[in-house]
Amino acid sequence: MLAFIRIIIATLFIIITTFCALLYCLINRPRAPKHVYTFCRWFNQLQKITGVSVEQRGLSNSANIANAVYISNHQSVYDFVTTPGMLQPNTVSLGKKSLLWIPFFGQLYWITGNILIDRENKAKARNTIQQVADAIHQRNLSVWVYPEGTRSKGRGLLPFKTGAFRMAIEAGVPIIPVVISTTHNKIDLNKLDNGTVIAEMLAPINTQTFKSTDARQLAEQCHQLMAEKIAQLDNELKQDSYLVSEETSKENKA
């Protein structure tokens, strides 16, 4: 029953927020990158509806960095709950062109300034990488990418595609990894409290020493770094959960 109520509330929240955002963008510089940051702050409120507490760490790692390519693990639809608060000003995301056909959300995704790419057409995708690399400086942008290319759905951190890394190398901007602790089978909408998820921004990785042909090497380096950090965060949460359980057990015995 609680899950049904939450789904209804979340659906109404998303529809109303999206409708208001569409109107706002239509009259206030459609496609301006600033809109993505603004409305991510609105959607960040979904944490409260789902009963998830997101602990944000490392946001200072993006301080004084004008342009970057942010990469993050892509787990499930709950990324929409756990990641919006990590997105920085003047950052847009890359998404599949098919997103445009999702009612309300697809139109909002486009009008707020995010970039839609055709992943099925490899020639167009390569051209888009160069165009985005140029736009990073021309439009003073940062770009948020999910390098796995699809949701992992409990399969762990999937292999990375090289597009985001070639983009960063071409633009000469740092890669900033963002990791979210595992949410698979840990969020149950029927539970009042779904505990804590940790979202952590890691230190920037300089790409200026890499060439385009090094994109695979850079992707594998980042994959290893992020996989190790996710495992560390999961272990930390597991230990915290164990300690809370132990304390509760002691209190009950007392």
Side-chain angles (χ1 to χ4, degrees), residues 1-244:
M1 185 63 181
L2 179 57
F4 177 76
I5 294 172
R6 276 179 164 154
I7 290 170
I8 294 297
I9 294 173
T11 301
L12 290 173
F13 173 82
I14 291 171
I15 291 174
I16 293 170
T17 300
T18 300
F19 181 73
C20 293
L22 283 170
L23 289 179
Y24 178 84
C25 291
L26 283 171
I27 62 177
N28 186 16
R29 295 183 59 202
R31 303 280 298 155
K34 66 177 183 178
H35 296 320
V36 181
Y37 176 79
T38 298
F39 296 115
C40 273
R41 290 302 171 276
W42 289 21
F43 285 112
N44 201 37
Q45 303 308 309
L46 285 169
Q47 296 175 30
K48 299 175 182 176
I49 297 174
T50 55
V52 175
S53 175
V54 179
E55 180 181 335
Q56 297 177 349
R57 299 177 179 175
L59 291 176
S60 60
N61 281 321
S62 64
N64 303 317
I65 295 179
N67 311 109
V69 173
Y70 294 88
I71 57 172
S72 180
N73 52 320
H74 194 19
Q75 301 184 69
S76 69
V77 69
Y78 290 118
D79 293 344
F80 201 51
V81 176
T82 59
T83 60
M86 301 299 288
L87 190 129
Q88 299 301 292
N90 261 28
T91 300
V92 300
S93 67
L94 292 187
K96 295 183 294 185
K97 198 171 183 180
S98 57
L99 286 174
L100 187 60
W101 305 109
I102 299 176
F104 298 107
F105 176 77
Q107 293 74 52
L108 177 64
Y109 189 86
W110 177 81
I111 204 170
T112 50
N114 292 299
I115 300 171
L116 294 165
I117 60 174
D118 186 356
R119 287 180 178 164
E120 302 303 319
N121 189 318
K122 292 185 178 180
K124 283 186 178 180
R126 283 193 292 268
N127 187 46
T128 298
I129 287 172
Q130 184 58 57
Q131 289 177 353
V132 174
D134 293 339
I136 284 174
H137 295 294
Q138 293 170 1
R139 298 175 60 197
N140 191 30
L141 295 175
S142 290
V143 180
W144 184 289
V145 184
Y146 292 111
E148 293 164 279
T150 189
R151 296 168 183 166
S152 59
K153 298 180 180 178
R155 293 173 288 172
L157 192 64
L158 302 179
F160 286 172
K161 300 181 184 300
T162 59
F165 306 94
R166 287 190 283 129
M167 191 184 303
I169 293 169
E170 290 289 338
V173 300
I175 291 275
I176 301 182
V178 178
V179 295
I180 314 297
S181 61
T182 302
T183 58
H184 184 68
N185 287 337
K186 293 186 178 179
I187 298 178
D188 180 353
L189 294 183
N190 276 313
K191 288 170 57 179
L192 186 63
D193 183 358
N194 277 299
T196 299
V197 171
I198 301 175
E200 182 165 346
M201 186 176 291
L202 308 185
I205 298 171
N206 186 0
T207 65
Q208 294 185 351
T209 59
F210 291 88
K211 297 178 292 187
S212 292
T213 52
D214 298 327
R216 171 53 59 192
Q217 175 191 340
L218 180 58
E220 291 174 355
Q221 176 184 329
C222 291
H223 187 281
Q224 181 179 353
L225 177 69
M226 291 173 66
E228 289 174 354
K229 175 56 72 169
I230 292 168
Q232 179 186 326
L233 296 181
D234 288 347
N235 186 59
E236 179 183 338
L237 289 171
K238 185 177 180 180
Q239 292 296 323
D240 288 346
S241 178
Y242 174 77
L243 290 174
V244 169

